[in-house]
Amino acid sequence: MAATDHQEDYVARLRRAMVRAICEVSVPEPDPLTGENGDTLYIGSTEVCEALTILLAEFLEGVPGLDTPRDIRALSEGVAKKLRLGIAEIRRVRAETGSDPPPSIIIRSN
């Protein structure tokens, strides 16, 4: 297996593990009266993005070469570009396949 294949496999396994963890944490608490969890998994997109941003900062905090705001801004711009390209690719595939994104609603607390 080439180094690139190993890296892609590692990234895929990390992604699956994170999605699995997000889903497990998002399972509704059992109803106090019936003990049932219901049949809908509520994943807070805002909270997930916040948690992933914090996790990213925690992993990157000790990376050599991220010493100045300029260094961090350059890294942030690279991440932003990957997000833009990733979203565009997902939308392209959805348009080609006629699929829809997972249903979601925005809930804002007061």
Side-chain angles (χ1 to χ4, degrees):
M1 180 182 307
T4 304
D5 293 339
H6 177 69
Q7 182 182 12
E8 289 175 7
D9 181 57
Y10 181 60
V11 169
R13 287 185 293 125
L14 285 170
R15 183 173 170 266
R16 278 192 303 273
M18 287 187 271
V19 169
R20 187 178 308 118
I22 290 165
C23 291
E24 288 173 2
V25 168
S26 300
V27 171
E29 295 292 321
D31 181 283
L33 298 176
T34 65
E36 294 182 15
N37 289 28
D39 59 358
T40 303
L41 186 64
Y42 295 99
I43 298 175
S45 299
T46 301
E47 293 83 358
V48 168
C49 290
E50 182 177 347
L52 291 172
T53 302
I54 292 166
L55 186 63
L56 180 61
E58 290 172 346
F59 273 97
L60 291 174
E61 183 272 329
V63 171
L66 290 180
D67 302 319
T68 67
R70 182 179 184 162
D71 299 331
I72 296 168
R73 187 171 31 262
L75 174 81
S76 298
E77 288 170 359
V79 170
K81 181 178 179 180
K82 285 184 179 186
L83 283 171
R84 284 191 307 272
L85 293 172
I87 289 170
E89 176 65 10
I90 291 166
R91 289 179 176 165
R92 183 189 66 74
V93 170
R94 287 197 191 285
E96 285 179 2
T97 62
S99 63
D100 294 319
S104 63
I105 57 172
I106 297 174
I107 300 173
R108 298 194 194 287
S109 59
N110 294 334

